Structure formats: C-alpha cells, structure tokens
Amino acid sequence: MINALKQMTQLKAALWVNAFLYYFKRLWIIGKYVPDSVYSNYGLKRGLSIVAVVVRQLIDFCGKPIYLATVVTLPLMLLLYGNPQYEGQGFLVMAQILFFLNCFLGALGDSQIFAVTRDKIICIKYIHMNAAAYIRAALAFKYIPFFIYYLLWLLIFARMSGGTVWQGFLLWLLLVSFRMMGEAAQLIIFDRTGKVISRSMGYSWFLITGGLAGAVLPFLFGWKPLLASVLTHPAAVTAFAALGGWCLWYITVGYRGYEKKFHRSIDINFLFSNLVKASSGTAATFKEVEMKEKDIAISEADKEKFRYLRGYAYLNALFFARHKRQLVKPVCFRLALAAALFGVSVVLWFTNRELAVRLSENMTAMLPSFIFIMYFMTVADKASRAMFYNCDKDLLHYAWYRRPETILKNFQLRFVRVALYDLFIAGAVCLAAAGFRLLCTGTVFDMDMLLFCSAILLLSVLFTVHHLCLYYIFQPYSESLKVKNPFFSVLNSVMYMLCFICLQIEVGGFAFTMTVLCFTVIYILAALVAVYRRAPVSFRVK
C-alpha cells in the first residue's frame, strides 16, 4: 500500500503542476515570459508539487472550522437565541446537527471508493495498478488527514458548545465509524447489484431531504435533542465503533472483488455524467442541459414574436425558446422556494411573534445569510453550460462566430436575458421579504427595507455577471466537456468562499449593506470591462 500511496501522490501532484504551468503560460502579459522549457525543470516542478500538497492540506485543515462554524455554530446560535428550553444543551444540539449532516448525509452520500477521478482512471485503467492496493491508498490519502483535522476541531467546538473534550472525542469516533459504514454499505450494494447507489439522483435527493430535515425540523418544533443523547452515549458509541472497525476491515482487507468487479465502476461509458462532474468540479453536469426532442418545437406565440428578429438576436431568441425546460423551469422552482421562504416566515410569526417582529424590523441584519442563498438561487451557471453544450461548442469552429463583434454582441444579448431571469428570482425574494415585513409591522417602505431589496437585486446581477463573465473570459470547457482552465475553478471557488464567509457575520446592518452594495457595483463594472477586453481573444473552443 505504501508504494501505491506514493505513486498516487506523485501522480496527483504531477497532474496538478502540469495543468498549473500550462494555464500560467496562457495568462495575459506575464504568461508569454514563461518558456516551454519550464516543463522539463524537474527541480521547479518538485518544489511546486510540495507547495501543492502543503496548500491542499492547509485548505483542508482550515476548511473544517469554517464548515463547523457555518453548519453548526450559526444554527446553534440562532436556535439558542430566544429559545431558553435549549439552554445548557448546546453540545447535544451540535451533535444532532452533525449526525444528520455528516454521519447520515455525508457518509451515505459520498464515497471515496467510487469517486471518479483522473488519477484513479490513470492508475487502474492505464498503469494497471492493483485495484485493491489503489483503494487502500486512496482511502488512506483521503481519510487519515480528514479524520485528524476533524478530531482537533471537534474537540474545540465541543468545548465551545458546552460539552467536554471526552464528548467531543465520542462525537469524532461516531463520525469515523459512520464514514466507514457508509463506504462498506455502498461497496456491498455494488457487489450485489453492480450499481453505484451514490450516483443515483433519486437516492441523493432522498439523503439531502432527510439529512436537512433531521438536522433542522426537530428544533423548529421545539423538540429536545433526544437522539443525540442516545448516539453520544459511551455504550452506543462503542457499538458503532465496533461496527465501523469491521467495515474498515471489510473495505480494505475483507472484500476480494476489487480486481474482478471494480473496473466497471470507473468505465467512462458506465456513467458519463459522473466523469463530467468530477472533472468540472461543479455540482451539476452537462446532462442537465442536454436538449430533448420535445425542446426543439417552437410555439406559435414564440414564432410570432421572432418574426421581426434578425441575425444574432434571432439566434439567441431561438436558443432561449428551446431551453425553457433547462432555464425557465429552474426559475419556477426558485420562485417556489421564495414562496416557501415566505411560508416559513409566516410560521415563525405564529410560533415566535417577538422574534419575527425583531427580524422584520431589521431586514439588513439577515443580509449575510441571503448573500449565500442568492449565490445558489441564480441560474447563470446553468445557462453558461447550456450555451456551451448546445451552441458554442459547435459554432466556435466557424471563423465568423469567433469575430470580436460577434462574440460581444452575443454576450450582450445573453447577459440581458439571463439577468432578467435572475432579477425575476430576486424580485420574488424581495416580495417575500416585503410580505413578511407587512405581516409583522404593518409597514413596508423604509430605508432598511429599501437597502435590503437593493442589495438582493444587485446580488442577482452580480452572480449573473460573475458566471457569464468567467465563461466568456476563460471559456473553460473542452470539447470533451471537461474544465480545462484551473483559474476558472479557482475564481469560482473564491466567490463561493466569500459568500460562505458572509455566513459567519452575525449582524449585517447599514454598514455591511453599504459595503455589499459598493462591492457589487465595482465587481460588475470590472467584470464587464474585462469581458470587453479579453473575450474577443480568449473565447475559443479547446
């Protein structure tokens, strides 16, 4: 296993370094000063490999407290605020939230054994590494640092929530045990049925729904964390640890079918969408935006509207008319979420009127959370993938489509249409917030509400600009539907982290709202300028 782990680590580092050097050479201005001989500079590449490993570990180490602070501390603080029945039960509430999110959703929804990665395909399909040895190495590479980092931070967060170090250790042992049980369960199902259950969309949605419901709903109804009391009892943890230990033995030593059956699980034809998902780093695949025969038909009303359109205006109108299922349907789904959000606020008004009134009187205090919500409410990312998969991938082969004026004209038309979709969603959120304010206070129009709605509307434009501009500046997708530009992934991750960090801000208020408004305006202007300067040069099929 040691040799397999060493080979796998070297391969991961080599893939990362070569991709980094390739795209660094393509950077504007500074890239042309990097010679091609840099690929043969083994000293430099070895140094970059070490840096890559260190940076990765630092990200994993720092990511644990951010995750725990977001999914545990923030809900815990909101729950304890104004709910005296949970006083002194902070650790048990934390344990129950973590159980459903990490032990249920995380352990059963994720699998290192069946993760589809470039290094796994190279090692097993092309280098012909022993499959069992690779799996043991991959599990060690993933879980040893994963569990070590979690141990330290769980001990700290257990103390912060009112528990003891011993209770934190028991919770960590529970997390380790359920991770191993989740891996073993998916392996047993694959061995019996030949199916990787974690790749099933229905199964994934079941886990997401069950995990979130178990973590949140009991406390909305004021129930005590009785499940956490049972799960963290030393006797229960001992039983789960014994079962987890057996599962660890089974997936590393006891299972004998890796060499015979495992190759099928990473066959490209076995599940193409998972390869796209792994290579692109996105939560959705190009399968989502694939057109069907029924999408081709254009309604008579649309035909009448298109009669007077010409050129690229007609092309893009036709594109969006044929992508209603991929784009308009998600908009309708988000509108339903906004309505559900208003429904939750009505329930809050009935169950805790004092808290509801306090929140409605200071809407900007909730803006940090809504930044993260709006990041996922926009449809620009999906629209960009639809543009590439169903249009640009083919048309970019023609010289007339790559002309600067054509690229910028198409960008203008697409930006306006997608921005309208996202503004419609943002408008629904603002309407829900206004309804909540009216229900609680009998008034709507004041400076606090105006600032909140302005920020929500501008955030929708910001995320539209962010996704479309990154697509046009980097055009990250290849014809094989893989992300070929790491800077695109890095900038997407940075934006996600900024939204994620906003969740740590306890109070928004006037100053925070004004900062958000200034940032959105500056970012939108800067991104649009960058598109007009770079897109005519960089928007090419790869």
Side-chain angles (χ1 to χ4, degrees), residues 330-482:
V331 171
C332 295
F333 176 72
R334 285 155 174 78
L335 294 179
L337 286 179
L341 187 65
F342 176 70
V344 170
S345 69
V346 173
V347 172
L348 178 64
W349 184 72
F350 279 110
T351 57
N352 194 336
R353 190 161 301 185
E354 181 182 351
L355 176 60
V357 171
R358 191 161 56 247
L359 290 174
S360 68
E361 290 176 342
N362 189 12
M363 295 294 295
T364 54
M366 296 189 289
L367 186 59
S369 298
F370 273 91
I371 291 175
F372 193 70
I373 292 171
M374 290 305 299
Y375 179 83
F376 291 101
M377 292 284 270
T378 53
V379 297
D381 175 51
K382 191 172 185 178
S384 298
R385 285 181 282 116
M387 291 169 191
F388 179 79
Y389 186 61
N390 295 321
C391 184
D392 297 339
K393 179 167 65 72
D394 298 315
L395 291 183
L396 278 172
H397 288 289
Y398 298 98
W400 57 267
Y401 196 75
R402 299 194 302 269
R403 292 199 301 249
E405 60 272 20
T406 300
I407 291 172
L408 296 178
K409 180 63 176 178
N410 280 325
F411 171 78
Q412 294 168 8
L413 294 167
R414 291 170 169 182
F415 170 70
V416 170
R417 177 62 71 96
V418 179
L420 286 175
Y421 287 153
D422 289 336
L423 280 169
F424 200 57
I425 296 169
V429 174
C430 293
L431 190 61
F436 178 52
R437 167 69 70 87
L438 184 64
L439 178 68
C440 295
T441 66
T443 61
V444 174
F445 302 104
D446 60 14
M447 183 56 67
D448 181 73
M449 194 68 192
L450 176 63
L451 288 174
F452 177 81
C453 291
S454 299
I456 293 297
L457 293 172
L458 268 176
L459 283 169
S460 72
V461 179
L462 167 71
F463 294 128
T464 303
V465 167
H466 172 72
H467 289 296
L468 285 182
C469 287
L470 285 190
Y471 172 56
Y472 266 85
I473 292 171
F474 294 104
Q475 204 302 87
Y477 307 118
S478 68
E479 284 194 281
S480 59
L481 306 182
K482 295 181 180 180

Side-chain angles (χ1 to χ4, degrees), residues 12 110-121 125 134 196 198-199 262 264-268 270-280:
K12 282 178 176 287
D110 187 23
S111 173
Q112 183 61 28
I113 293 177
F114 295 107
V116 182
T117 59
R118 287 183 301 169
D119 54 277
K120 178 178 288 185
I121 293 172
K125 291 183 69 70
Y134 176 86
V196 180
S198 59
R199 298 174 185 171
F262 186 70
R264 182 171 178 264
S265 73
I266 59 172
D267 193 299
I268 293 178
F270 182 70
L271 194 58
F272 175 72
S273 62
N274 277 80
L275 285 175
V276 176
K277 178 178 178 180
S279 63
S280 66

Side-chain angles (χ1 to χ4, degrees), residues 152-346:
L152 172 63
W153 290 113
L154 276 179
L155 297 180
I156 293 173
F157 275 79
R159 291 289 297 136
M160 289 171 57
S161 62
T164 64
V165 172
W166 172 245
Q167 287 178 312
F169 176 75
L170 291 178
L171 185 57
W172 174 80
L173 203 57
L174 199 67
L175 171 65
V176 174
S177 302
F178 271 87
R179 276 282 172 170
M180 295 302 100
M181 285 189 276
E183 293 282 3
Q186 295 192 54
L187 182 59
I188 291 171
I189 292 172
F190 172 75
D191 185 61
R192 300 291 188 275
T193 66
K195 297 179 180 180
V196 180
I197 192 171
S198 59
R199 298 174 185 171
S200 166
M201 185 63 70
Y203 173 78
S204 299
W205 277 110
F206 165 75
L207 290 179
I208 292 171
T209 304
L212 294 178
V216 176
L217 287 183
F219 305 118
L220 291 180
F221 289 105
W223 299 344
K224 292 186 177 181
L226 298 178
L227 179 62
S229 303
V230 175
L231 291 171
T232 56
H233 191 278
V237 174
T238 301
F240 285 127
L243 182 57
W246 179 86
C247 291
L248 175 62
W249 172 84
Y250 177 75
I251 61 179
T252 55
V253 179
Y255 182 65
R256 302 293 184 180
Y258 285 120
E259 287 298 314
K260 184 183 298 183
K261 298 183 178 181
F262 186 70
H263 292 78
R264 182 171 178 264
S265 73
I266 59 172
D267 193 299
I268 293 178
N269 295 322
F270 182 70
L271 194 58
F272 175 72
S273 62
N274 277 80
L275 285 175
V276 176
K277 178 178 178 180
S279 63
S280 66
T282 59
T285 68
F286 282 97
K287 212 67 171 168
E288 288 182 311
V289 296
E290 188 176 37
M291 293 187 67
K292 298 180 179 179
E293 187 174 348
K294 63 181 181 181
D295 298 326
I296 305 298
I298 302 296
S299 68
E300 292 300 323
D302 284 335
K303 289 179 180 178
E304 185 65 26
K305 288 188 294 185
F306 298 163
R307 180 190 299 180
Y308 303 103
L309 297 178
R310 296 291 183 272
Y312 298 111
Y314 177 79
L315 173 66
N316 283 279
L318 198 63
F319 172 85
F320 285 104
R322 287 176 170 171
H323 285 78
K324 289 181 179 179
R325 180 177 57 84
Q326 295 90 339
L327 299 178
V328 176
K329 187 176 179 180
V331 171
C332 295
F333 176 72
R334 285 155 174 78
L335 294 179
L337 286 179
L341 187 65
F342 176 70
V344 170
S345 69
V346 173

